[in-house]
Amino acid sequence: MRITPSLRLAINLLSVLTVTLLNAQQTTPMQTIRSGSFTPLYGSTEEGNVKIAAFQLDRFAVTNAQYLDFLKQNPSYQRSQIKGLFATKSYLSHWKGNLDFGDLNPQAPVTNISWFAAKKYCECQGKRLPTLEEWEYVAMADAQQMDAREKEAYNQYILAWYETPRTYLNPVGSTPKNYWGVYDMHGLIWEWVFDYNSIFLSGESRKDKGNDENLFCGSASINASDLMDYAAFMRYGFRGSLRANFTTKNLGFRCAKDL
């Protein structure tokens, strides 16, 4: 069959459309989070309640398939190439190879990711990691209320998650969306945030506030002003043990964006 100029143009347009659709499928939709204020983790600050400016947050955590696309474009973050400064040897250790996540569900959240790698991924999407306060603000909601922290059922749900093994193997969207239309803030994985370490450690113990290497991680985050709250102690202990190049099998991330 002879390929005419018009047919060639049609083929090129179809190819562009196909690539666009594939890229769109790999783009995580975002939810707009309205501005507000709340009492932060472990009590109020000297200024009182924390004020949150409106921002956007990924509806889902980043998946294996999405992270694979990132690795193809950023080979220095592949498992055999990444520097030890940015990730320990456990980074993507459950993958079969640099560009092969094996039998893992493509739509399951990517885990065994360091803070450095998560931060780089978000930057490549024109986004950023959410701050601790932004993450907590969204995470304190259940399906009906912006702030469900005083609901017994809400806290029991989080405690039950802690006792459920291997939830990180489930696909994103496995848990009901919350008030904001965001999924899996609890019940799937723990998640990195940008600035968690600044909440709990003094400048002296961090040595250098501006050094990314000393920023830590946050995850499932609700009000823990009640010091008898077992879930709060679990979260506090987990976060306090991590450094920015650490990875664990149930630790992933999602991205945020300024409005």
Side-chain angles (χ1 to χ4, degrees):
M1 180 180 68
R2 189 171 67 90
I3 299 178
T4 64
S6 59
L7 180 58
R8 187 181 301 277
L9 177 61
I11 293 173
N12 290 338
L13 289 175
L14 181 60
S15 297
V16 171
L17 179 60
T18 301
V19 171
T20 300
L21 289 174
L22 288 173
N23 288 339
Q25 291 174 354
Q26 293 300 318
T27 301
T28 301
M30 304 193 80
Q31 295 295 117
T32 297
I33 311 300
R34 298 192 306 272
S35 61
S37 63
F38 71 107
T39 301
L41 189 68
Y42 290 95
S44 61
T45 65
E46 293 180 0
E47 295 78 19
N49 287 348
V50 169
K51 294 181 179 180
I52 302 294
F55 69 103
Q56 290 186 308
L57 186 67
D58 281 353
R59 192 179 301 171
F60 306 105
V62 175
T63 67
N64 288 312
Q66 290 171 323
Y67 201 75
L68 176 60
D69 287 344
F70 162 75
L71 293 177
K72 291 176 181 177
Q73 300 297 321
N74 298 272
S76 63
Y77 280 81
Q78 294 175 12
R79 188 174 67 185
S80 67
Q81 301 298 319
I82 195 167
K83 295 180 179 178
L85 175 66
F86 299 131
T88 61
K89 292 182 179 180
S90 60
Y91 173 74
L92 293 178
S93 59
H94 60 315
W95 282 34
K96 283 191 173 181
N98 280 342
L99 299 176
D100 183 3
F101 50 74
D103 296 331
L104 295 172
N105 188 328
Q107 296 308 311
V110 66
T111 58
N112 275 323
I113 295 294
S114 70
W115 180 91
F116 288 111
K119 178 172 176 284
K120 178 67 174 179
Y121 176 96
C122 292
E123 290 172 350
C124 288
Q125 313 306 310
K127 302 178 184 180
R128 58 174 175 79
L129 284 171
T131 66
L132 167 68
E133 291 169 350
E134 289 172 339
W135 203 100
E136 183 183 351
Y137 181 64
V138 177
M140 68 185 186
D142 66 3
Q144 293 80 36
Q145 294 180 227
M146 286 178 56
D147 188 352
R149 293 175 294 180
E150 294 185 2
K151 286 186 176 182
E152 182 178 354
Y154 174 76
N155 288 283
Q156 287 298 324
Y157 169 74
I158 297 173
L159 288 173
W161 166 40
Y162 289 175
E163 298 173 354
T164 305
R166 299 163 64 87
T167 58
Y168 53 86
L169 297 177
N170 297 330
V172 298
S174 292
T175 69
K177 64 182 178 181
N178 70 7
Y179 173 89
W180 299 106
V182 176
Y183 291 80
D184 309 320
M185 297 299 282
H186 308 287
L188 190 66
I189 57 170
W190 298 66
E191 298 183 12
W192 285 108
V193 296
F194 179 75
D195 60 343
Y196 177 78
N197 190 43
S198 62
I199 291 289
F200 293 105
L201 299 182
S202 68
E204 290 182 358
S205 63
R206 286 199 312 275
K207 297 182 180 179
D208 180 3
K209 290 183 181 180
N211 187 348
D212 286 349
E213 186 177 0
N214 290 316
L215 290 173
F216 279 56
C217 139
S219 72
S221 174
I222 61 171
N223 180 35
S225 56
D226 178 2
L227 296 183
M228 297 305 291
D229 186 341
Y230 175 76
F233 278 109
M234 287 284 288
R235 292 190 299 275
Y236 182 87
F238 177 75
R239 296 164 182 163
S241 68
L242 295 173
R243 280 195 168 277
N245 66 341
F246 284 12
T247 73
T248 73
K249 62 184 179 182
N250 59 352
L251 177 59
F253 69 101
R254 72 181 74 213
C255 304
K257 191 174 185 179
D258 295 328
L259 284 176

